[in-house]
Amino acid sequence: MTRRSGARRVFNLVNLGALVLVVATAAPLYWMVVNSLKGGAELGATPPTPWPSDPTADNYVQAFAGNGFGGYVVNSLVVSVVSTVVVVSLATFAGYALARLPMRGRRPLMIALLMISVFPAIAVVTPLYLVERQLGLLNSHLGLIIPYVAFNLPLAIWIMRNYMLGVPTALEDAATVDGASPTRTVVQVVVPVVRPGILTAAIFTFTATWTEFLMALTFNSQNDYRTIPVGISLFGSSFEVPHGTIFAAAVSATAPIAILVLVFRRSVVSGLASGAVKG
Amino acid sequence: MRARLGWLYTAPALAVVLAVTIFPILFSVVLSFTRVRVTYGGFRVEELTLDNYVALFQSSEWHYAVLFTFFYTVVTVAIELVLGVLAALVLERLGAARGWLLALLLIPWSMITVISAQLWGFIYNSTYGVATWLLEALFGTAPIILGTPVPAITGMMVADIWKTTPFVTIIVLAGLVMLSREVYESAEIDGANAWTTFWRVTLPQLKSTLAVAVLFRILQAFGVFDLPFVLTTGGPGTATQSLAILGYKTLFQDLHIGPGAAIATSTGVLVIGGCLLFLKAFRAQVGKEDLA
């Protein structure tokens, strides 16, 4: 008898916990979406209205037409997609080498990479700024792609290596016996097998570059090259903070990354679970 | 032959990483020991000096930033750890709904921090923010949240906890799922109750998983920049001025390159020091690599 009521109590506690978790997580998101659909007067209403009395798409029109948000989206896409492709290509080879080939000094190298991947960006942003200014890379896509590649490679290499350690070597051995060159073996035999690992590394790189702020703020401050985080952070710099426009832009920038992460959530969760992770 | 190939495959990645991270870090350390004059065309190193560090150690702004950053890191990570473990325990016992809840948790985690900062700034707004309204409804009066030091710091922490607890939850959940069932069965046979089982069986087995989650959160929280930059710009006054914000202001607003580099270097040293201490204390394993 006592066991059963104990089990029921735990069951209820679990459901209660889940409910609290859903509300706490979803409420701010709900507030963002709802307020993106409110008109100017209603946004500033006290007490706040729980949902828009007269839903409008004006904020979205204003964000894209009036505030150049579309341009920021293009910049973010260019920088994130190119960085991701380069990172994943380099990390696949490096991860393969670190998982499969005999290398002296592998352990200190892996640890150094991990340290770099979590090093606070503020510590490198000045010298990088000075170097980029000298090379004329400020306010260009390349000026962000290069540091993004460098800062996301360590984690991607960790993910690829950990993934490859879990893959049997039989296929590669067979290819080598058949006389395929090592590089050809990697490209034609290893890559197809480790596709899930590549996907995980790609999602982490894309998310990190899509959300990066400090370097984007300091290196690309000209309107033509601003990425979404920089653009949105500056929306509020005028006298009146245009909350409606900010929320419309915020929803538009959150939706694609949220969909990407939700569709591939197995890869995200396994990437986080593999241990080689930053948030 | 195969050893050479290993380095050949790793070389392009290493070259980029070295050029863009190690070199600037060293450059930054050097700059921190110099007096730099910024000119229109560029900058000129004038002399080697310890002045930047002397000034740094005497600066009350730096003292406060170090204290605030430490305090902020310890408190948020501790709360995220407790809430993250609780949430993971809930998720583990949840049936079909687990996938949906996990999906929901991934949204704040993947959001642009600047966006969540704008969102929380709106929630905390002193005239029409929903948090202000709620506090007034509950207590009859509400502070000007972002204009008063303690509420501003608390508000910043709430925003951080909302966004990053899911990260801890997912890592801990992955650890929970991999625990062996047998230990639980023998604990049950021994008559251990839920509380004892959690402290004696679950937690010890989760140690290395928790270490990884905590390590990454500490490193990230210590470099916190986006959130205070947008939410409070370090204010009111300097109440939420983290080391990264202080460094940014010194470098890019005041253009004090030497002192800014000293702040950046001090941040790096504190992070690496803390990281090594943590790894030693917990003998942490990250992935399949033994780090201690």
Side-chain angles (χ1 to χ4, degrees):
Chain A
M1 271 316 272
T2 50
R3 272 187 78 96
R4 173 169 292 183
S5 68
R8 178 173 297 166
R9 209 179 62 222
V10 170
F11 175 77
N12 284 332
L13 215 57
V14 166
N15 280 349
L16 184 68
L19 186 69
V20 170
L21 207 54
V22 169
V23 172
T25 310
L29 293 171
Y30 169 80
W31 205 237
M32 178 170 81
V33 176
V34 161
N35 284 290
S36 76
L37 298 169
K38 285 181 183 172
E42 201 182 359
L43 269 168
T46 42
T49 50
W51 49 79
S53 58
D54 181 22
T56 166
D58 286 356
N59 294 322
Y60 288 85
V61 175
Q62 179 61 31
F64 281 91
N67 287 62
F69 182 69
Y72 306 150
V73 173
V74 172
N75 288 333
S76 274
L77 275 176
V78 169
V79 169
S80 295
V81 169
V82 175
S83 303
T84 303
V85 170
V86 177
V87 163
V88 165
S89 319
L90 294 180
T92 304
F93 277 92
Y96 175 80
L98 289 164
R100 291 280 197 260
L101 301 172
M103 285 173 72
R104 288 184 59 187
R106 180 181 55 75
R107 209 180 79 112
L109 181 66
M110 296 292 294
I111 294 173
L113 284 176
L114 191 74
M115 294 272 180
I116 289 170
S117 81
V118 292
F119 207 74
I122 188 72
V124 293
V125 113
T126 335
L128 272 182
Y129 177 84
L130 296 173
V131 170
E132 291 215 349
R133 193 162 83 160
Q134 215 67 34
L135 297 176
L137 283 172
L138 295 178
N139 292 306
S140 72
H141 290 138
L142 201 59
L144 281 185
I145 291 169
I146 294 169
Y148 284 0
V149 166
F151 278 94
N152 287 288
L153 259 173
L155 179 68
I157 293 173
W158 266 82
I159 292 176
M160 290 312 299
R161 172 170 183 268
N162 279 356
Y163 194 85
M164 290 198 193
L165 285 178
V167 175
T169 53
L171 276 172
E172 297 150 50
D173 296 343
T176 312
V177 170
D178 287 349
S181 76
T183 305
R184 190 163 163 187
T185 308
V186 175
V187 173
Q188 293 192 339
V189 180
V190 177
V191 167
V193 179
V194 298
R195 217 180 284 157
I198 292 178
L199 186 66
T200 304
I203 291 170
F204 275 96
T205 307
F206 189 87
T207 313
T209 52
W210 186 259
T211 57
E212 202 284 333
F213 181 57
L214 180 58
M215 290 192 247
L217 176 73
T218 43
F219 300 163
N220 283 7
S221 51
Q222 243 169 45
N223 199 41
D224 287 354
Y225 289 99
R226 275 180 198 149
T227 55
I228 295 172
V230 183
I232 288 189
S233 79
L234 296 175
F235 269 18
S237 59
S238 47
F239 287 108
E240 198 184 337
V241 182
H243 282 301
T245 323
I246 290 176
F247 288 130
V251 172
S252 311
T254 305
I257 196 87
I259 290 169
L260 185 78
V261 164
L262 297 187
V263 168
F264 296 112
R265 69 166 184 270
R266 264 170 210 281
S267 304
V268 178
V269 172
S270 72
L272 284 163
S274 82
V277 184
K278 60 177 175 178
Chain B
M1 167 58 202
R2 275 170 67 81
R4 279 240 302 278
L5 196 64
W7 286 105
L8 195 68
Y9 282 170
T10 326
L14 283 185
V16 181
V17 174
L18 284 176
V20 184
T21 64
I22 302 290
F23 165 71
I25 289 170
L26 296 178
F27 188 17
S28 184
V29 173
V30 172
L31 281 177
S32 72
F33 288 103
T34 58
R35 204 151 61 88
V36 184
R37 178 181 292 272
V38 184
T39 58
Y40 180 75
F43 69 98
R44 206 168 64 235
V45 173
E46 297 204 315
E47 60 170 339
L48 286 174
T49 169
L50 284 172
D51 288 359
N52 297 325
Y53 285 97
V54 173
L56 190 70
F57 296 142
Q58 288 171 351
S59 146
S60 59
E61 262 201 331
W62 184 74
H63 290 160
Y64 181 83
V66 171
L67 276 179
F68 171 72
T69 310
F70 260 110
F71 173 78
Y72 179 81
T73 303
V74 170
V75 174
T76 52
V77 174
I79 294 176
E80 284 164 17
L81 185 64
V82 173
L83 292 181
V85 170
L86 283 175
L89 288 170
V90 166
L91 279 162
E92 194 214 2
R93 282 164 182 73
L94 221 53
R98 187 203 285 181
W100 290 103
L101 197 41
L102 210 55
L104 178 64
L105 290 179
L106 284 174
I107 298 177
W109 171 79
S110 66
M111 245 173 122
I112 296 176
T113 310
V114 166
I115 290 180
S116 70
Q118 296 270 26
L119 174 60
W120 284 96
F122 182 72
I123 290 173
Y124 295 146
N125 187 292
S126 58
T127 47
Y128 42 86
V130 71
T132 308
W133 174 76
L134 262 176
L135 288 175
E136 255 166 20
L138 287 173
F139 305 107
T141 168
I144 299 173
I145 298 175
L146 296 179
T148 328
V150 174
I153 294 170
T154 314
M156 180 178 153
M157 286 177 168
V158 169
D160 192 332
I161 290 164
W162 175 74
K163 191 175 186 301
T164 46
T165 301
F167 168 80
V168 181
T169 304
I170 291 165
I171 293 190
V172 175
L173 180 65
L176 280 175
V177 173
M178 287 186 294
L179 295 187
S180 90
R181 296 289 105 202
E182 288 160 25
V183 200
Y184 281 106
E185 278 162 22
S186 56
E188 195 173 343
I189 291 165
D190 290 346
N193 63 26
W195 185 249
T196 319
T197 311
F198 175 73
W199 284 103
R200 294 286 175 77
V201 182
T202 310
L203 267 191
Q205 286 193 79
L206 277 180
K207 201 180 124 190
S208 79
T209 309
L210 291 176
V212 173
V214 168
L215 180 66
F216 278 100
R217 280 303 307 138
I218 288 176
L219 291 162
Q220 240 194 346
F222 206 82
V224 66
F225 177 78
D226 320 18
L227 183 62
F229 186 85
V230 171
L231 190 64
T232 60
T233 58
T238 55
T240 57
Q241 187 157 280
S242 68
L243 273 167
I245 294 279
L246 178 63
Y248 176 83
K249 283 184 175 170
T250 312
L251 286 167
F252 292 102
Q253 286 178 9
D254 307 338
L255 290 177
H256 293 157
I257 295 185
I263 295 169
T265 306
S266 70
T267 311
V269 169
L270 290 170
V271 159
I272 295 287
C275 183
L276 291 176
L277 271 180
F278 182 84
L279 287 172
K280 273 272 177 282
F282 285 81
R283 297 178 198 286
Q285 269 199 334
V286 177
K288 292 178 174 66
E289 214 69 21
D290 203 342
L291 289 174

